[in-house]
Amino acid sequence: MLLDKYLPRIDFDSYEDFKANYRVSIPADFNFGFDIVDEWAKQEPEKKALVWCDDEGVDRTFTFTDISRLSNQAANYFTSLGIRKGTVVMLILRRRWEYWVCAVALHKIGAILIPGSLQLAKKDLIYRGNSAKIHTMICVDDSYVIEQVDHAQPSVPSIQHKIIVGKSREGWRNFHEEVAAFPETFARPTGDAATKVSDTMIVYFTSGTTGDPKMVQHDFSHPLGHIVTAKYWQQVQENKLHMSVSDSGWAKFGWGKIYGQWICGAVIFAYDMAKFVPTHLLQKMQDYKLTTFCAPPTMYRFMLQEDVASYDLSSIQNFSTAGEPLNPEVFYQWQKLTGKEIREGFGQTEGTVLLANFPWITPKPGSTGKPSPLYDITLLQDDGTPAPDGEHGALVMQNLKKAWPTGLFVGYYQNPEMTQEILGGGSYCPHDVFERDKDGYYWFVGRNDDVIKCSGYRIGPFEVESALIEHPAVVECAITAAPDPIRGQVVKATVVLAKGYTPSPELTKELQNHVKHTTAPYKYPRIIEYVDELPKTLGGKIKRAQIRKADEAAQN
């Protein structure tokens, strides 16, 4: 078991014991490719690493020996193209199994990996390519992706190579055809080519709900921070299948589909779906007999629109969620249908799981749980004083100069000024507002900019959204502040309706009365707009700022 090497102590008696005594040992030369993937291959050559399938009925199983061998070939191939320690490479590979091979290869070389989404347009690629000085693009054979990269390339002079995973295309190197010619062994680099734990391993571009996306920089210790994510929140089990639903272009993939899971010896289950179809996902969950499962709240909500009870999900021992707050009604419906709770967690691209419902905690529906032992977390009021229980406060990670949390980002790539501004004071505030109750549970209120100030009241959007979600007509909704000449701001709900419901003044009144009876009456939405879908970032988060800006523009 590899965990013994990195955790002086693995088992804990209580949350308090876990919070006080969890520690991570970090070797100065830790490299995920060599020290986890190759080490598992040495210790247990037949140990399963990845079970992969797609919509076409293709199914493949990879051992750690397979991943080690294939990543060695890829590392030799990439090296032949001039990719070295510090070279920047972007992967846009959806959920193709080749992502795991390429990522491990790049980690072994010490190259800087940038995951990319399938939805990136030409302007996004130009911005990312020039900001990070991307050297090589490795992309899935997708017509839109290829077209956008081809159109962006003339404006990104740093791009030297374009590699395609799939059928050959003009101007692109074919990954499978070229990599097959390279040796299956790759010696661990030494001297200046060797990686140190403080070297940059991965850079994520933030979702960019406001302003240009920032380049979040993680070093080679980052995978070790995800032991907490995988073992103690998602509760993965060695040699058992874990599924996190995420495209490889997002930090959630790193949270749930590679790092902590493989350190713990779990088998990653990957379903390379071209499009999210709730019944298809439920069928895979049943057929492959998963043990642990994690998905965003939106996916749970849409699965609940189907006949969940007709699928056998009894093999799944732990359900978890992150990405957006989990509405209590979704928690209760899922528990009723499956007999299992959904354990919510909270975090950001900048770190690992910050708050979660850990094994010793009985989840309170709607609460993100309690702080990870990696972080010293507090809530601060506007005047910088600690927020009392029951009061709003900004989430702050403090005492960073005393001990840098394993897995927390180390700065913004190529931007020392912003790094100093955000992290130089010895704390980090992600601008999320929470309340803490008397039992130490944290409750998400909203992003600081999303909190509504109406007639002297401060209203958190999540509470109103949760009230609306309880109504059977509502699948998704976003609560925002709309300008009002008398009150300054009023509560507005932008609503996606469930099957069988159509917009009407009568339904609007019914939803308003429902909120009045579910939460404090002053929080009810005075405006309700019905839409087919909510505006979201490429990472799937609701763009409340976009809704607010549209309403403000309509007023002027």
Side-chain angles (χ1 to χ4, degrees):
M1 190 174 184
L2 291 185
L3 277 180
D4 293 332
K5 183 175 180 180
Y6 304 105
L7 299 187
R9 184 176 166 196
I10 295 173
D11 298 315
F12 300 90
D13 299 326
S14 64
Y15 168 75
E16 291 71 23
D17 183 22
F18 177 55
K19 185 72 173 71
N21 297 307
Y22 179 85
R23 300 288 183 274
V24 185
S25 299
I26 306 174
D29 62 348
F30 176 77
N31 183 297
F32 180 80
F34 295 111
D35 297 318
I36 301 302
V37 173
D38 285 4
E39 190 60 30
W40 275 127
K42 290 176 187 173
Q43 291 188 15
E44 301 182 41
E46 298 305 313
K47 187 180 186 67
K48 289 181 182 178
L50 174 67
V51 173
W52 180 90
C53 66
D54 65 12
D55 287 320
E56 307 303 318
V58 181
D59 182 310
R60 291 193 61 174
T61 296
F62 299 84
T63 64
F64 279 101
T65 299
D66 294 327
I67 301 294
S68 176
R69 172 178 52 80
L70 291 167
S71 65
N72 285 341
Q73 284 188 290
N76 285 310
Y77 171 50
F78 294 154
T79 301
S80 77
L81 300 179
I83 296 173
R84 303 285 186 267
K85 176 182 172 181
T87 302
V88 182
V89 179
M90 175 175 272
L91 301 185
I92 305 179
L93 290 175
R94 201 169 63 206
R95 300 172 182 88
R96 291 280 309 192
W97 61 262
E98 290 89 348
Y99 179 92
W100 284 266
V101 171
C102 291
V104 172
L106 294 170
H107 295 337
K108 287 179 176 181
I109 294 170
I112 297 172
L113 165 61
I114 297 184
S117 162
L118 291 174
Q119 297 168 290
L120 294 175
K122 173 186 172 182
K123 64 179 179 62
D124 303 313
L125 291 163
I126 291 172
Y127 173 75
R128 284 159 172 76
N130 289 322
S131 297
K133 301 294 186 289
I134 292 173
H135 176 276
T136 298
M137 299 288 303
I138 306 175
C139 301
V140 68
D141 180 15
D142 177 277
S143 296
Y144 176 81
V145 171
I146 300 306
E147 178 181 304
Q148 298 307 308
V149 173
D150 282 343
H151 288 166
Q153 186 183 11
S155 301
V156 187
S158 61
I159 294 179
Q160 300 297 306
H161 302 289
K162 297 180 300 183
I163 303 172
I164 193 167
V165 172
K167 67 176 183 287
S168 297
R169 294 199 183 225
E170 185 178 352
W172 288 74
R173 294 177 173 273
N174 186 291
F175 177 78
H176 285 290
E177 289 178 2
E178 297 194 12
V179 78
F182 286 83
E184 297 179 356
T185 58
F186 182 77
R188 186 168 188 152
T190 58
D192 291 341
T195 58
K196 303 185 296 294
V197 76
S198 58
D199 290 329
T200 302
M201 183 189 86
I202 193 165
V203 169
Y204 292 112
F205 279 83
T206 57
S207 299
T209 53
T210 58
D212 287 329
K214 299 184 287 290
M215 294 187 287
V216 174
Q217 178 179 351
H218 287 285
D219 65 20
F220 275 80
S221 70
H222 182 63
L224 294 172
H226 278 305
I227 296 173
V228 170
T229 307
K231 182 169 179 59
Y232 300 103
W233 167 48
Q234 295 169 345
Q235 298 182 41
V236 303
Q237 297 181 28
E238 186 169 359
N239 299 322
K240 298 296 180 72
L241 289 172
H242 170 77
M243 181 183 193
S244 282
V245 184
S246 174
D247 180 271
S248 63
W250 305 107
K252 188 65 166 56
F253 190 98
W255 278 48
K257 298 183 86 154
I258 183 166
Y259 298 121
Q261 295 70 32
W262 273 356
I263 295 172
C264 294
V267 186
I268 294 163
F269 174 72
Y271 169 30
D272 185 24
M273 57 178 122
K275 179 183 177 183
F276 169 53
V277 179
T279 52
H280 293 179
L281 179 56
L282 285 162
Q283 193 69 47
K284 298 293 185 186
M285 293 163 67
Q286 169 187 282
D287 292 351
Y288 283 87
K289 295 186 174 9
L290 308 181
T291 297
T292 48
F293 176 84
C294 186
T298 296
M299 289 193 170
Y300 284 104
R301 286 196 289 266
F302 279 98
M303 284 191 285
L304 285 168
Q305 298 296 303
E306 308 298 337
D307 185 10
V308 174
S310 67
Y311 296 88
D312 181 5
L313 306 181
S314 60
S315 66
I316 302 179
Q317 298 176 25
N318 191 64
F319 292 98
S320 53
T321 192
E324 286 273 296
L326 177 70
N327 308 102
E329 181 63 17
V330 176
F331 178 98
Y332 287 125
Q333 287 187 47
W334 197 262
Q335 186 178 39
K336 180 180 177 181
L337 291 168
T338 67
K340 302 287 195 330
E341 303 157 327
I342 302 175
R343 292 184 175 267
E344 186 174 354
F346 172 83
Q348 287 192 313
T349 300
E350 284 84 351
T352 57
V353 70
L354 303 177
L355 305 164
N357 287 278
F358 295 109
W360 313 271
I361 296 173
T362 299
K364 292 185 180 183
S367 168
T368 52
K370 297 184 179 183
S372 160
L374 294 172
Y375 303 94
D376 183 358
I377 288 175
T378 190
L379 300 180
L380 296 181
Q381 299 181 107
D382 292 343
D383 61 4
T385 60
D389 289 349
E391 297 292 333
H392 291 183
L395 187 81
V396 176
M397 283 156 268
Q398 56 188 1
N399 295 321
L400 300 184
K401 291 182 178 178
K402 181 179 178 182
W404 198 268
T406 309
L408 183 64
F409 78 128
V410 295
Y412 296 100
Y413 186 61
Q414 304 288 27
N415 197 333
E417 295 81 10
M418 183 182 288
T419 298
Q420 177 62 28
E421 177 188 348
I422 302 298
L423 297 174
S427 64
Y428 171 58
C429 177
H431 302 293
D432 292 294
V433 179
F434 282 80
E435 286 183 11
R436 183 183 55 246
D437 68 20
K438 62 182 177 59
D439 299 317
Y441 286 73
Y442 283 65
W443 301 78
F444 183 75
V445 175
R447 294 282 296 170
N448 188 46
D449 292 342
D450 292 334
V451 175
I452 302 163
K453 302 172 184 68
C454 176
S455 300
Y457 294 108
R458 287 169 60 89
I459 302 170
F462 176 58
E463 184 179 0
V464 187
E465 288 169 1
S466 293
L468 273 171
I469 286 289
E470 289 185 20
H471 194 284
V474 180
V475 173
E476 279 195 299
C477 62
I479 295 298
T480 54
D484 183 83
I486 298 172
R487 296 177 177 84
Q489 294 180 332
V490 294
V491 178
K492 176 191 175 184
T494 306
V495 172
V496 177
L497 292 175
K499 297 174 184 175
Y501 289 88
T502 55
S504 70
E506 293 75 21
L507 180 59
T508 295
K509 192 68 176 175
E510 183 179 333
L511 292 177
Q512 289 173 328
N513 288 332
H514 173 75
V515 174
K516 288 180 183 178
H517 290 100
T518 305
T519 185
Y522 68 86
K523 298 180 180 180
Y524 85 93
R526 294 175 183 270
I527 302 170
I528 296 182
E529 178 184 3
Y530 300 98
V531 298
D532 292 331
E533 60 181 2
L534 296 173
K536 293 179 181 178
T537 67
L538 296 179
K541 295 183 180 180
I542 297 170
K543 298 172 78 169
R544 293 176 182 84
Q546 181 174 316
I547 298 173
R548 289 198 303 269
K549 287 177 182 176
D551 290 337
E552 289 166 3
Q555 280 284 107
N556 299 328

